[in-house]
Amino acid sequence: MTGFATMLRVSLRIQRGDLATPVVMAALPLILTPFLLPGAQAQLQASGYPSATGAEQVVPGFAALFGFLAVQQIVTGFGREHQWGTWERLRAAPVSAGALVLGRSTACLLVQLAQLTFVIAVGALVFGYRPQGSPAAIALVLLALAVMLVAFGVMLVAVFPSSEHALVAASLGGMVMAGVGGALAPVSSFPGWAQAVAHASPAYWALDAMRTLSLEPAGLADVAPALGALAGFTTAFALVAALRFRPAQRKAGLR
């Protein structure tokens, strides 16, 4: 069995033993959605979408917000590998560090995808989220968002020597990027200067694509620029992670 497969299997086994956090991250946005629907509906109708229900903003917005918050799970997962000694035992095997990181990252990606898909699917069933655009394009945007979030989390693990510091950066960075990117309110409702700043957040591009696909009969070509921007953020995060990751460095501080 390759190092990648071994790491993926170990990581999924650990994840199965700690389902509480993913369940909470998937349930919370659905609990909070009804509170924001009326305000979002009024904003969208005032923006020229008279048949909007508000779910077109709130469901993808909350899916992205809690996706960013779930980056903490990625940091915690790597920290626990060090805490339990799993990482050192796998490193002792004749496999590359890249295969180990890729296996761990793939497990995180599957969890992120499941969480995002669950929020969107239940939003459709319970809150009447009815996107007008291509379902295949929506699936591709969710995949691109999940890959970017995993790259962001692995970058934090690589940059910070302490897992606790990485967790703080994941929490603060995630909330800021999601909020600035329009997870809680349409970017068009922001002041002019904030609308310009929003373009610096990867959340903006994911939510811009989701907004287009939710409110208009759009397809893949219509959201290609947003997907390109997301790919750019992912590449930048992955490059920093590759340059800064030290397989032998222990991640202190996680309890």
Side-chain angles (χ1 to χ4, degrees):
M1 182 174 289
T2 65
F4 166 77
T6 302
M7 193 64 183
L8 177 59
R9 186 188 62 180
V10 170
S11 299
L12 290 175
R13 183 186 302 165
I14 293 173
Q15 194 65 56
R16 281 199 302 270
D18 185 22
L19 289 177
T21 303
V23 168
V24 169
M25 288 293 177
L28 267 181
L30 299 168
I31 294 172
L32 296 174
T33 290
F35 296 94
L36 294 188
L37 282 178
Q41 182 181 32
Q43 286 179 319
L44 291 176
Q45 290 182 349
S47 300
Y49 299 98
S51 60
T53 65
E56 301 87 349
Q57 161 66 33
V58 179
V59 172
F62 269 155
L65 171 62
F66 282 85
F68 272 93
L69 294 179
V71 169
Q72 298 173 54
Q73 300 174 65
I74 300 171
V75 175
T76 301
F78 274 93
R80 284 178 175 166
E81 299 281 4
H82 286 272
Q83 183 185 24
W84 296 339
T86 314
W87 182 258
E88 291 304 317
R89 289 199 296 273
L90 288 168
R91 281 192 62 234
V95 295
S96 69
L100 296 181
V101 173
L102 188 60
R104 188 75 186 87
S105 300
T106 301
C108 297
L109 175 62
L110 294 176
V111 174
Q112 277 283 2
L113 268 179
Q115 179 180 320
L116 291 170
T117 303
F118 180 81
V119 174
I120 295 294
V122 177
L125 289 173
V126 178
F127 300 112
Y129 175 58
R130 299 288 184 270
Q132 302 298 309
S134 161
I138 291 175
L140 192 56
V141 172
L142 293 179
L143 175 61
L145 174 60
V147 172
M148 183 277 297
L149 290 171
V150 172
F152 175 57
V154 175
M155 180 191 71
L156 295 180
V157 171
V159 168
F160 290 96
S162 160
S163 294
E164 287 188 346
H165 291 165
L167 279 174
V168 171
S171 301
L172 295 180
M175 285 190 289
V176 169
M177 285 193 287
V180 169
L184 297 175
V187 172
S188 58
S189 67
F190 292 178
W193 64 267
Q195 292 185 32
V197 170
H199 290 72
S201 167
Y204 167 82
W205 298 101
L207 291 170
D208 181 64
M210 289 299 290
R211 176 186 170 88
T212 300
L213 293 165
S214 298
L215 293 167
E216 301 172 9
L220 184 58
D222 298 295
V223 298
L227 287 171
L230 272 178
F233 279 102
T234 301
T235 302
F237 293 151
L239 182 60
V240 173
L243 293 174
R244 295 294 303 274
F245 199 88
R246 301 289 183 271
Q249 183 183 45
R250 289 192 58 80
K251 299 296 177 184
L254 187 67
R255 292 187 293 271

